[in-house]
Amino acid sequence: MINILPDSVANQIAAGEVVDRPASAVKELLENALDAGATEIQLIIKDAGRSLIQVIDNGSGMSDSDARLCFERHATSKIKRAEDLFDIHTMGFRGEALASIAAVAQVEMKTRLHDEELGSQVIIEGSDVKEQNPCTCSPGTSIAVKNLFFNIPARRNFLKKDSIELSHIEEVFRRVALPNYNVAFSFHHNGKLLYDLKGGNFAQRIASIFGNNFSARLYHIEEQTEPVSLFGYVGKEEYVKKVRGEQYLFVNGRFIKHLGLSAAIEKAYNELIPERTYPSYFVLLSVDPSRIDINIHPTKTEVRFIDEHVIFAILRAATKKALGQFSLATELEFNPSPDLNFDPVPKGYTPPAPTVSINPNYNPFYNSGQHGSSTPSQKSIQSQLRNFWNDGSDSDGDDIGGGSGGDSDSDSDSAPAKMPSSGASSLPGEASRQTAHDDSYATTLNATQNPPFQYAARYVITTLKSGVVVIDQHRAHQRILYERLMARREAAQPSSQQLLFPVNCRFNSSDSELLAEITPDLQKLGFAIATLGQNTFVVTATPPDVHPDDIQPLLEQTLADHKSNMLQRHSDGDRSICLSLARHMAIPAGKVLKPQEMQQLIADLFSCQVPDQSPSGQRIMFIITEQDIAEKMR
Ligand code: ADP
Ligand code: MG
């Protein structure tokens, strides 16, 4: 027995496809406003969209009859014939959104054409038109969607908590606002202004959403070709993230997800960034609408391109060009690592010529007596390291430097070019540990070391008595920073550097809440952070190793890590924060180091408690012994 479903039921079912949560209603309403040619759009939300979603625009408005018709299914002014599907210049075209929204909410719309005196008000609940009256209102359209899913309790109960629904709405808002940078948008939630975006250019729009210093982290890309013209920004290598965060790809003004094209961008970074890190990007593609198919998915973030291969190649090439043109080569020549975490060597300072020296009483681990309580793993590392220097013999260091010949009284000269950065360890405990170790380490290293050199811009290679040691610079620095941060955390008075100019940082509202939550932990590590309201924070002090320009990205990345830790439920408070800070502050792979910087890195690494493992458990170094080499030579 076949029944034809009543419209209200059919609409409810169809609505499920289009409107599955408040954010999707927001998307449809914002897109309608853009399609109507609005230049100013206000979004007003209450209770994360549960009780109110309102969009007010100054677009074309609708006539009396359209005001009624627009809530019918398949009511659209945007296409007329099937062929039009291949020439879509609007965001919407299915004529389903308003019908779907009206099926699952109480909707109140006021709309007025620009050359009419009066507008039209329509009230519709669960597809039922309750009222239509002439009304006074400004030209354009205002649609208020109240009590979403009031008639589908199951759906309503499935909504996530407000902070999650709100972050979905924010993401939708960003995806719509980014490519429409010439349109002004505002966004209020529960009476609070979250975003106030003026019309401007793309870079300004990115900055006003993601924070002012954001554009300094991007390279510009642009390419005009036959199948595609593209324009936008890709992130500098040093600002990659552990999570795919700010990756925005748009086609003809529409946000899309496209694995192939995202891969095109990421592939351009290939060797430049550590594995499992992801660049940010904001790329606008324009493609002839007849060469794409946006019709394959109801919520339309997936798109098919006829010229996918060509577009892939062009996108990758354009990204590579941006990276090559403005990064590696130029940075090396003209901009010698300004943001290394080491302080610069003072002007006019010439590093002393390496001399050979011997400290006959030196034993790298047993001379200071400060680490008596080593853990088992530490012990094994220590004996391993001892072997590195001692050629496996268990003597207490007599033969360190043996064979290299030379005088033994040039201790001070032989210290690796000392950079003021070791003064960064201004902690009482840390300082004394360093003095206890410093000279002897320096001596030891110099005694046996050839000058370190860098390979593939990510490994520091040097020799020890027992072989050639290959050190992963990023992981090594992570370890060093992590131990410093952990020590600071335990100190009664964390050391910090006062900033000459306080730095303002802006975040989206969910990040702001999170930042407020972890502020006490950050304070323990030497940050001084205060909120200025409106999602803005001022930072007046940081731990010693942080460059002011890096503060905003560092905090963002820490928040991103914190979020993913919370999701995976393995956050362990301030330890994970130390871990995350260390990870993001550490010299990246791909950074070319000066000889002194390598020396310092090696010295600092070997004064760590666990020098051979990064804080997240990855291997930092390995040794190639003479025997290994001999075997290979066979
Ligand atoms: P679609 O956008 O796919 O055409 P919708 O259900 O979203 O379908 O909208 C139906 C129609 O209502 C649109 O085609 C448009 O003519 C009209 N409309 C919707 N929102 C607005 C608005 N904000 N301003 C002017 N017209 C609108
Ligand atoms: Mg629409």
Side-chain angles (χ1 to χ4, degrees), residues 47-336:
D47 304 319
R50 246 177 265 270
S51 39
L52 177 73
I53 298 168
Q54 184 172 18
V55 172
I56 305 171
D57 70 57
N58 65 350
S60 63
M62 281 177 264
S63 66
D64 285 355
S65 55
D66 280 358
R68 169 65 194 83
L69 259 182
C70 68
F71 292 105
E72 292 295 324
R73 273 183 79 198
H74 310 303
T76 179
S77 55
K78 299 169 193 174
I79 57 173
K80 292 202 175 72
R81 300 170 294 258
E83 302 87 86
D84 295 346
L85 276 175
F86 302 100
D87 191 23
I88 296 219
H89 295 270
T90 52
M91 302 297 290
F93 57 87
R94 297 161 167 265
E96 281 177 342
L98 289 185
S100 302
I101 292 170
V104 295
Q106 300 161 335
V107 178
E108 194 180 314
M109 180 176 81
K110 287 182 175 180
T111 185
R112 189 189 126 194
L113 294 170
H114 284 245
D115 47 12
E116 294 285 337
E117 299 266 290
L118 280 184
S120 181
Q121 182 189 39
V122 178
I123 296 177
I124 177 167
E125 291 182 7
S127 303
D128 238 9
V129 181
K130 300 278 178 193
E131 260 180 57
Q132 176 165 17
N133 299 308
C135 72
T136 51
C137 58
S138 352
T141 304
S142 157
I143 299 192
V145 176
K146 296 178 184 163
N147 303 319
L148 189 66
F149 304 133
F150 78 103
N151 52 354
I152 318 180
R155 249 283 127 83
R156 204 171 163 83
N157 294 337
F158 260 105
L159 292 180
K160 299 272 171 19
K161 62 177 186 187
D162 278 12
S163 59
I164 294 182
E165 293 301 336
L166 182 64
S167 64
H168 283 285
I169 293 174
E170 279 192 67
E171 184 56 21
V172 159
F173 178 81
R174 287 189 288 263
R175 289 174 182 183
V176 172
L178 276 168
N180 295 288
Y181 44 80
N182 47 358
V183 175
F185 288 87
S186 67
F187 177 0
H188 284 85
H189 181 242
N190 291 341
K192 209 171 110 191
L193 180 63
L194 299 187
Y195 292 87
D196 186 13
L197 312 176
K198 308 273 176 278
N201 62 31
F202 193 29
Q204 289 164 333
R205 178 56 47 96
I206 295 171
S208 57
I209 293 180
F210 295 98
N212 280 334
N213 20 27
F214 203 86
S215 38
R217 294 194 247 155
L218 303 172
Y219 296 124
H220 171 240
I221 66 170
E222 189 161 5
E223 212 64 52
Q224 310 271 349
T225 65
E226 173 51 27
V228 61
S229 59
L230 62 91
F231 169 77
Y233 299 89
V234 297
K236 295 185 179 172
E237 309 84 309
E238 57 264 46
Y239 296 111
V240 293
K241 298 194 168 184
K242 289 280 165 173
V243 285
R244 282 202 170 80
E246 282 115 16
Q247 300 193 325
Y248 293 91
L249 198 56
F250 304 92
V251 173
N252 301 347
R254 185 188 301 276
F255 174 84
I256 59 159
K257 282 188 184 145
H258 195 288
L259 288 180
L261 295 190
S262 304
I265 299 177
E266 288 184 4
K267 280 222 166 81
Y269 287 78
N270 238 350
E271 303 280 289
L272 299 175
I273 59 176
E275 269 172 52
R276 284 190 297 281
T277 61
Y278 307 96
S280 306
Y281 52 81
F282 306 85
V283 179
L284 305 168
L285 307 174
S286 318
V287 177
D288 179 345
S290 67
R291 314 281 300 166
I292 51 183
D293 178 3
I294 40 183
N295 204 10
I296 56 174
H297 193 273
T299 53
K300 294 170 289 187
T301 53
E302 278 154 31
V303 170
R304 270 194 310 229
F305 296 84
I306 294 182
D307 307 301
E308 179 172 338
H309 292 297
V310 186
I311 297 174
F312 179 99
I314 293 169
L315 188 54
R316 188 178 57 176
T319 310
K320 270 198 164 161
K321 187 162 128 196
L323 294 170
Q325 236 173 19
F326 305 112
S327 71
L328 276 183
T330 19
E331 198 167 299
L332 287 184
E333 284 177 48
F334 306 116
N335 196 5

Side-chain angles (χ1 to χ4, degrees), residues 28 31-32 35 78 92-93 97:
E28 295 298 337
E31 290 186 348
N32 279 349
D35 284 345
K78 299 169 193 174
F93 57 87

